[in-house]
Short mmCIF file of all heavy atoms in Angstrom, two decimals:
data_model
loop_
_atom_site.label_atom_id
_atom_site.label_comp_id
_atom_site.label_asym_id
_atom_site.label_seq_id
_atom_site.Cartn_x
_atom_site.Cartn_y
_atom_site.Cartn_z
N TRP A 52 5.27 11.91 -18.44
CA TRP A 52 6.09 11.27 -17.41
C TRP A 52 5.32 10.06 -16.88
O TRP A 52 4.12 10.16 -16.62
CB TRP A 52 6.36 12.25 -16.27
CG TRP A 52 7.43 11.84 -15.30
CD1 TRP A 52 8.76 12.13 -15.39
CD2 TRP A 52 7.27 11.06 -14.09
NE1 TRP A 52 9.43 11.58 -14.32
CE2 TRP A 52 8.55 10.92 -13.51
CE3 TRP A 52 6.19 10.46 -13.45
CZ2 TRP A 52 8.77 10.23 -12.32
CZ3 TRP A 52 6.40 9.76 -12.27
CH2 TRP A 52 7.68 9.65 -11.71
N TYR A 56 6.64 5.52 -7.48
CA TYR A 56 7.24 5.88 -6.20
C TYR A 56 7.01 4.70 -5.26
O TYR A 56 5.93 4.08 -5.27
CB TYR A 56 6.57 7.14 -5.63
CG TYR A 56 7.05 8.42 -6.30
CD1 TYR A 56 6.40 8.92 -7.42
CD2 TYR A 56 8.16 9.11 -5.82
CE1 TYR A 56 6.84 10.09 -8.04
CE2 TYR A 56 8.61 10.27 -6.42
CZ TYR A 56 7.95 10.75 -7.54
OH TYR A 56 8.40 11.91 -8.14
N ALA A 73 12.71 13.98 -11.70
CA ALA A 73 11.51 14.22 -10.87
C ALA A 73 11.89 14.29 -9.40
O ALA A 73 13.00 13.92 -9.00
CB ALA A 73 10.51 13.10 -11.11
N ILE A 77 8.48 12.10 -1.49
CA ILE A 77 7.17 12.71 -1.27
C ILE A 77 6.63 12.19 0.07
O ILE A 77 6.47 10.97 0.24
CB ILE A 77 6.19 12.33 -2.42
CG1 ILE A 77 6.72 12.88 -3.76
CG2 ILE A 77 4.78 12.85 -2.13
CD1 ILE A 77 5.90 12.49 -4.97
N LYS A 81 1.08 13.90 1.25
CA LYS A 81 1.40 15.14 0.51
C LYS A 81 1.29 14.92 -1.01
O LYS A 81 1.61 13.84 -1.51
CB LYS A 81 2.83 15.61 0.83
CG LYS A 81 3.06 15.92 2.29
CD LYS A 81 2.28 17.15 2.73
CE LYS A 81 2.51 17.45 4.21
NZ LYS A 81 1.57 18.39 4.77
N GLY A 82 0.88 15.97 -1.69
CA GLY A 82 0.77 15.91 -3.14
C GLY A 82 -0.27 14.89 -3.58
O GLY A 82 -0.99 14.31 -2.76
N VAL A 83 -0.34 14.69 -4.88
CA VAL A 83 -1.30 13.72 -5.41
C VAL A 83 -0.86 12.30 -5.03
O VAL A 83 -1.68 11.47 -4.60
CB VAL A 83 -1.43 13.86 -6.95
CG1 VAL A 83 -2.56 12.97 -7.47
CG2 VAL A 83 -1.68 15.31 -7.36
N CYS A 84 0.44 12.06 -5.14
CA CYS A 84 0.95 10.72 -4.84
C CYS A 84 0.76 10.34 -3.37
O CYS A 84 0.26 9.25 -3.05
CB CYS A 84 2.43 10.63 -5.20
SG CYS A 84 2.75 10.76 -6.97
N GLY A 85 1.15 11.26 -2.49
CA GLY A 85 1.02 10.98 -1.05
C GLY A 85 -0.44 10.87 -0.62
O GLY A 85 -0.77 10.11 0.31
N GLY A 104 -2.14 21.41 -2.82
CA GLY A 104 -0.97 20.67 -2.36
C GLY A 104 -0.27 19.89 -3.44
O GLY A 104 0.68 19.15 -3.16
N HIS A 105 -0.73 20.04 -4.67
CA HIS A 105 -0.05 19.35 -5.78
C HIS A 105 1.44 19.68 -5.77
O HIS A 105 1.84 20.83 -5.57
CB HIS A 105 -0.66 19.79 -7.13
CG HIS A 105 0.16 19.40 -8.31
ND1 HIS A 105 0.96 20.30 -8.98
CD2 HIS A 105 0.34 18.20 -8.92
CE1 HIS A 105 1.58 19.66 -9.96
NE2 HIS A 105 1.22 18.40 -9.95
N ILE A 106 2.27 18.66 -5.97
CA ILE A 106 3.72 18.88 -5.99
C ILE A 106 4.16 18.97 -7.46
O ILE A 106 4.01 17.99 -8.20
CB ILE A 106 4.46 17.73 -5.27
CG1 ILE A 106 4.01 17.67 -3.81
CG2 ILE A 106 5.96 17.90 -5.38
CD1 ILE A 106 4.42 16.41 -3.08
N CYS A 108 6.76 18.76 -9.83
CA CYS A 108 8.15 18.38 -10.13
C CYS A 108 8.57 19.02 -11.44
O CYS A 108 9.74 19.27 -11.66
CB CYS A 108 8.28 16.86 -10.26
SG CYS A 108 7.80 15.96 -8.79
N GLU A 115 -2.94 14.56 -14.30
CA GLU A 115 -2.20 13.48 -13.65
C GLU A 115 -3.15 12.38 -13.19
O GLU A 115 -4.30 12.66 -12.84
CB GLU A 115 -1.50 14.13 -12.44
CG GLU A 115 -0.68 13.25 -11.60
CD GLU A 115 0.28 14.09 -10.70
OE1 GLU A 115 0.26 15.35 -10.75
OE2 GLU A 115 1.03 13.48 -9.95
N ASP A 131 2.48 6.86 -11.03
CA ASP A 131 2.09 8.25 -11.32
C ASP A 131 2.30 8.49 -12.82
O ASP A 131 3.38 8.22 -13.35
CB ASP A 131 3.00 9.19 -10.50
CG ASP A 131 2.69 10.66 -10.75
OD1 ASP A 131 1.63 10.96 -11.34
OD2 ASP A 131 3.51 11.50 -10.33
N ASP A 133 1.87 11.53 -15.69
CA ASP A 133 1.62 12.96 -15.90
C ASP A 133 1.46 13.24 -17.38
O ASP A 133 2.15 12.65 -18.22
CB ASP A 133 2.83 13.79 -15.42
CG ASP A 133 2.96 13.79 -13.91
OD1 ASP A 133 2.30 12.97 -13.26
OD2 ASP A 133 3.76 14.58 -13.39
N1 SME B 1 2.79 15.71 -8.99
C1 SME B 1 3.09 14.66 -8.05
C2 SME B 1 4.56 14.58 -7.78
C3 SME B 1 5.27 13.61 -8.62
S1 SME B 1 5.66 14.18 -10.13
O1 SME B 1 4.44 14.60 -10.82
C4 SME B 1 6.49 13.10 -11.04
C5 SME B 1 2.33 14.88 -6.77
O2 SME B 1 1.70 15.92 -6.58
O3 SME B 1 2.38 14.00 -5.92
#
Side-chain angles (χ1 to χ4, degrees):
W52 193 90
Y56 283 90
I77 298 176
K81 300 292 180 194
V83 187
C84 293
H105 167 258
I106 299 167
C108 301
E115 180 163 1
D131 180 13
D133 290 13

